[in-house]
Structures are given as structure tokens and as C-alpha cells.
Amino acid sequence: GDYVKVFTKFVGMAAVFALAVSFAGCGSKQASTEPSDNPPVSHSNGKPVDAASAGSVTGTVKFEGVVPQMKIINMIDVPNCAKLHSAPVMTESVVPDDNGTLQNVLVYLQGDFSAYSFSQAAEPVKVDQEGCIYTPHVVAVMTGDPLEVTNKDAVTHNINAMSQLHQGWNETQVQGGQPIVRSFSKEEIPMPVKCNMHPWMRFYAAVVNHPYFQVTGKDGQFSLRNVPPGTYTLTAWQETYGTKKQTIVVQPKQEQAVSITFTDKDRP
């Protein structure tokens, strides 16, 4: 009889343990944290860029062709977010302006900047979750600089940074929770970030190993200043239309003006 009691108790404990494990297995939605491989980064080993001889690259990103129809996001199941929007919320994979410029395009230089030193950012690049939308939709940081994600909603979110280089994370952020701050040691363009709980929520973080980058705003403009003279590849990335590249030569103390145009025929 004692053997039966012990065996029954053992089976019951095993069932409780299995149930706990099964709940933990759902934890990607609730509270799992992936280890990230982000050793400290220093940009102080080289020499400062000589501002007296540096040049610059400026320009505008434009869009030509038929603008794709963005989809309406259905938040009916999350009333705390839905009530924050007075108009239908649209997806943001292509955001042109009335004058033909294109928003949310990462423009950056590709080249060898290893001889130079750069200052780390004093303040983090910030992304807010508000109304179950990530704002901004595209951000960029230099390696070693912080990215900060905050939750302003009256709901729980789950931030899942899907890095191909093992420098992402997957972490729950409750209402009023502490900001999540991360930095990255390797260049990665782009790194998609999503909320596991609300599948329409997504933003893109780009990690660049120098400061010569900018994400276009509504005016589509970019300005890369204090660039050492040399030959570089000017690269523009857009989430729907892929990447465009062109070779540019930055002359001492000269401003290089460039126009970049994406069309509705551009698809990766």
C-alpha cells in the first residue's frame, strides 16, 4: 500500500512538472530571453576625422510609380490600443510623401573607416510602443550605441529582435515596465524586430559600424557630414524594394549631392 501511495504521488508530481514545462514552452509569448552575443565595442582606437578636410554627402530619396495600397491593421482584440487611434491604422512598409519623397529609407556609406575614431552616442536611439505600434518604424544605431525600447501601452508586449548574428533578444515588457536597453557589436542591416503577442507590430533596427548613416523622414532627405575624403559605396535600403548602391567620391571640403530613386518595379 505504501508503494502505491509513493508511486501515485510520484506520478502526480511528474504531471505537475510536465504541465509547468508545457507552460514554459509557450514562453516565447510571455517571458523568454535569448542570450545575446554583444561584447563591448570601442571606436576610439583610430584618429579623429580631420574636420578641415572632410566632405559631405547629401541628397533625397524619391519614389516613382504606383504606390502600393497599405493594409488596415485590425486591433479590435486589443481595445486599450484601438481606442488610442481616431483613424484606421495602416501598415508602413512603403511611406511616400505627396511630393514623391520616400520615408523610412536607411542611407549609409560602405567603406573602410577603421583608421578613424568616433564618439559613442550620449543618448540612446528610442523606439516607443504606443497604440500597439512601434514608433519610429525604422531606426539605425552605430555599433556600441544603445537602443532603448519603451512600452507606453496599457497592455503587455513582447519584443523579439530577430538577429541573424546572435545579437538579438526576446523579452516580455509589461505595462509600465522598465525600458529595455540593448547595444550591438556587429553590423547588421536590417534586424527585424516584432511583438510576438501582436503580429502586426514590427520595426527594423539597422546596426552600422560607423556614424555615416541616416534614416529618411517625411522629406526624404539625408545628410552625411564630416566624411573623410575617399571613394565609397552609397547604399540605400528600403524594406519592400531592397537595396540600391552607387559609387561616390567624397572630395576634400566638398558637398556631394545625390538623388536616389526607388520605383514600383524594384523588388529584391
Side-chain angles (χ1 to χ4, degrees), residues 230-243:
T231 301
Y232 306 103
T233 301
L234 181 68
T235 307
W237 172 86
Q238 204 280 336
E239 67 178 276
T240 298
Y241 298 117
T243 301

PDB file of all heavy atoms in Angstrom, residues 230-243:
ATOM      1  N   GLY A 230      37.471  60.217 -49.890  1.00  0.00           N
ATOM      2  CA  GLY A 230      37.711  58.855 -50.350  1.00  0.00           C
ATOM      3  C   GLY A 230      36.589  58.369 -51.241  1.00  0.00           C
ATOM      4  O   GLY A 230      35.624  59.097 -51.508  1.00  0.00           O
ATOM      5  N   THR A 231      36.716  57.135 -51.705  1.00  0.00           N
ATOM      6  CA  THR A 231      35.709  56.508 -52.558  1.00  0.00           C
ATOM      7  C   THR A 231      34.893  55.526 -51.727  1.00  0.00           C
ATOM      8  O   THR A 231      35.453  54.669 -51.035  1.00  0.00           O
ATOM      9  CB  THR A 231      36.376  55.769 -53.734  1.00  0.00           C
ATOM     10  OG1 THR A 231      37.138  56.710 -54.495  1.00  0.00           O
ATOM     11  CG2 THR A 231      35.328  55.140 -54.634  1.00  0.00           C
ATOM     12  N   TYR A 232      33.570  55.662 -51.810  1.00  0.00           N
ATOM     13  CA  TYR A 232      32.664  54.846 -51.009  1.00  0.00           C
ATOM     14  C   TYR A 232      31.509  54.336 -51.866  1.00  0.00           C
ATOM     15  O   TYR A 232      31.273  54.835 -52.970  1.00  0.00           O
ATOM     16  CB  TYR A 232      32.102  55.662 -49.829  1.00  0.00           C
ATOM     17  CG  TYR A 232      33.158  56.296 -48.971  1.00  0.00           C
ATOM     18  CD1 TYR A 232      33.442  57.663 -49.084  1.00  0.00           C
ATOM     19  CD2 TYR A 232      33.877  55.552 -48.041  1.00  0.00           C
ATOM     20  CE1 TYR A 232      34.426  58.257 -48.303  1.00  0.00           C
ATOM     21  CE2 TYR A 232      34.859  56.135 -47.250  1.00  0.00           C
ATOM     22  CZ  TYR A 232      35.131  57.483 -47.385  1.00  0.00           C
ATOM     23  OH  TYR A 232      36.100  58.061 -46.613  1.00  0.00           O
ATOM     24  N   THR A 233      30.787  53.383 -51.299  1.00  0.00           N
ATOM     25  CA  THR A 233      29.533  52.937 -51.897  1.00  0.00           C
ATOM     26  C   THR A 233      28.388  53.526 -51.093  1.00  0.00           C
ATOM     27  O   THR A 233      28.240  53.220 -49.895  1.00  0.00           O
ATOM     28  CB  THR A 233      29.435  51.399 -51.903  1.00  0.00           C
ATOM     29  OG1 THR A 233      30.534  50.862 -52.636  1.00  0.00           O
ATOM     30  CG2 THR A 233      28.137  50.951 -52.558  1.00  0.00           C
ATOM     31  N   LEU A 234      27.607  54.390 -51.719  1.00  0.00           N
ATOM     32  CA  LEU A 234      26.418  54.946 -51.066  1.00  0.00           C
ATOM     33  C   LEU A 234      25.289  53.932 -51.231  1.00  0.00           C
ATOM     34  O   LEU A 234      24.941  53.564 -52.355  1.00  0.00           O
ATOM     35  CB  LEU A 234      26.036  56.289 -51.684  1.00  0.00           C
ATOM     36  CG  LEU A 234      24.813  56.972 -51.063  1.00  0.00           C
ATOM     37  CD1 LEU A 234      25.118  57.433 -49.640  1.00  0.00           C
ATOM     38  CD2 LEU A 234      24.374  58.163 -51.913  1.00  0.00           C
ATOM     39  N   THR A 235      24.750  53.492 -50.120  1.00  0.00           N
ATOM     40  CA  THR A 235      23.768  52.407 -50.124  1.00  0.00           C
ATOM     41  C   THR A 235      22.473  52.881 -49.489  1.00  0.00           C
ATOM     42  O   THR A 235      22.481  53.547 -48.452  1.00  0.00           O
ATOM     43  CB  THR A 235      24.317  51.191 -49.353  1.00  0.00           C
ATOM     44  OG1 THR A 235      25.598  50.839 -49.883  1.00  0.00           O
ATOM     45  CG2 THR A 235      23.387  50.000 -49.465  1.00  0.00           C
ATOM     46  N   ALA A 236      21.363  52.529 -50.111  1.00  0.00           N
ATOM     47  CA  ALA A 236      20.046  52.852 -49.571  1.00  0.00           C
ATOM     48  C   ALA A 236      19.253  51.554 -49.456  1.00  0.00           C
ATOM     49  O   ALA A 236      19.161  50.779 -50.415  1.00  0.00           O
ATOM     50  CB  ALA A 236      19.314  53.845 -50.471  1.00  0.00           C
ATOM     51  N   TRP A 237      18.689  51.313 -48.265  1.00  0.00           N
ATOM     52  CA  TRP A 237      17.880  50.108 -48.021  1.00  0.00           C
ATOM     53  C   TRP A 237      16.442  50.491 -47.696  1.00  0.00           C
ATOM     54  O   TRP A 237      16.192  51.365 -46.875  1.00  0.00           O
ATOM     55  CB  TRP A 237      18.464  49.287 -46.866  1.00  0.00           C
ATOM     56  CG  TRP A 237      17.557  48.151 -46.476  1.00  0.00           C
ATOM     57  CD1 TRP A 237      17.505  46.910 -47.030  1.00  0.00           C
ATOM     58  CD2 TRP A 237      16.536  48.182 -45.462  1.00  0.00           C
ATOM     59  NE1 TRP A 237      16.521  46.156 -46.430  1.00  0.00           N
ATOM     60  CE2 TRP A 237      15.912  46.915 -45.465  1.00  0.00           C
ATOM     61  CE3 TRP A 237      16.093  49.156 -44.566  1.00  0.00           C
ATOM     62  CZ2 TRP A 237      14.870  46.593 -44.591  1.00  0.00           C
ATOM     63  CZ3 TRP A 237      15.048  48.842 -43.702  1.00  0.00           C
ATOM     64  CH2 TRP A 237      14.455  47.565 -43.712  1.00  0.00           C
ATOM     65  N   GLN A 238      15.501  49.801 -48.359  1.00  0.00           N
ATOM     66  CA  GLN A 238      14.074  50.009 -48.106  1.00  0.00           C
ATOM     67  C   GLN A 238      13.432  48.628 -47.954  1.00  0.00           C
ATOM     68  O   GLN A 238      13.725  47.711 -48.720  1.00  0.00           O
ATOM     69  CB  GLN A 238      13.434  50.785 -49.271  1.00  0.00           C
ATOM     70  CG  GLN A 238      12.164  51.542 -48.918  1.00  0.00           C
ATOM     71  CD  GLN A 238      10.918  50.659 -48.884  1.00  0.00           C
ATOM     72  OE1 GLN A 238      10.871  49.615 -49.511  1.00  0.00           O
ATOM     73  NE2 GLN A 238       9.910  51.088 -48.141  1.00  0.00           N
ATOM     74  N   GLU A 239      12.554  48.475 -46.968  1.00  0.00           N
ATOM     75  CA  GLU A 239      12.107  47.131 -46.589  1.00  0.00           C
ATOM     76  C   GLU A 239      11.353  46.385 -47.689  1.00  0.00           C
ATOM     77  O   GLU A 239      11.412  45.153 -47.758  1.00  0.00           O
ATOM     78  CB  GLU A 239      11.247  47.173 -45.329  1.00  0.00           C
ATOM     79  CG  GLU A 239       9.911  47.870 -45.501  1.00  0.00           C
ATOM     80  CD  GLU A 239       9.079  47.837 -44.226  1.00  0.00           C
ATOM     81  OE1 GLU A 239       8.388  46.831 -43.988  1.00  0.00           O
ATOM     82  OE2 GLU A 239       9.124  48.828 -43.474  1.00  0.00           O
ATOM     83  N   THR A 240      10.656  47.101 -48.568  1.00  0.00           N
ATOM     84  CA  THR A 240       9.909  46.453 -49.641  1.00  0.00           C
ATOM     85  C   THR A 240      10.712  46.345 -50.924  1.00  0.00           C
ATOM     86  O   THR A 240      10.647  45.333 -51.628  1.00  0.00           O
ATOM     87  CB  THR A 240       8.593  47.222 -49.916  1.00  0.00           C
ATOM     88  OG1 THR A 240       7.777  47.185 -48.736  1.00  0.00           O
ATOM     89  CG2 THR A 240       7.827  46.609 -51.078  1.00  0.00           C
ATOM     90  N   TYR A 241      11.478  47.381 -51.238  1.00  0.00           N
ATOM     91  CA  TYR A 241      12.131  47.465 -52.547  1.00  0.00           C
ATOM     92  C   TYR A 241      13.618  47.125 -52.528  1.00  0.00           C
ATOM     93  O   TYR A 241      14.288  47.215 -53.563  1.00  0.00           O
ATOM     94  CB  TYR A 241      11.901  48.854 -53.135  1.00  0.00           C
ATOM     95  CG  TYR A 241      10.436  49.135 -53.364  1.00  0.00           C
ATOM     96  CD1 TYR A 241       9.786  50.161 -52.692  1.00  0.00           C
ATOM     97  CD2 TYR A 241       9.686  48.341 -54.230  1.00  0.00           C
ATOM     98  CE1 TYR A 241       8.434  50.392 -52.876  1.00  0.00           C
ATOM     99  CE2 TYR A 241       8.342  48.571 -54.429  1.00  0.00           C
ATOM    100  CZ  TYR A 241       7.711  49.597 -53.745  1.00  0.00           C
ATOM    101  OH  TYR A 241       6.377  49.814 -53.929  1.00  0.00           O
ATOM    102  N   GLY A 242      14.141  46.738 -51.369  1.00  0.00           N
ATOM    103  CA  GLY A 242      15.508  46.236 -51.330  1.00  0.00           C
ATOM    104  C   GLY A 242      16.562  47.325 -51.247  1.00  0.00           C
ATOM    105  O   GLY A 242      16.355  48.376 -50.630  1.00  0.00           O
ATOM    106  N   THR A 243      17.689  47.072 -51.908  1.00  0.00           N
ATOM    107  CA  THR A 243      18.875  47.910 -51.751  1.00  0.00           C
ATOM    108  C   THR A 243      19.311  48.511 -53.080  1.00  0.00           C
ATOM    109  O   THR A 243      19.296  47.835 -54.107  1.00  0.00           O
ATOM    110  CB  THR A 243      20.033  47.079 -51.171  1.00  0.00           C
ATOM    111  OG1 THR A 243      19.623  46.541 -49.902  1.00  0.00           O
ATOM    112  CG2 THR A 243      21.280  47.914 -50.970  1.00  0.00           C
TER     113      THR A 243
END
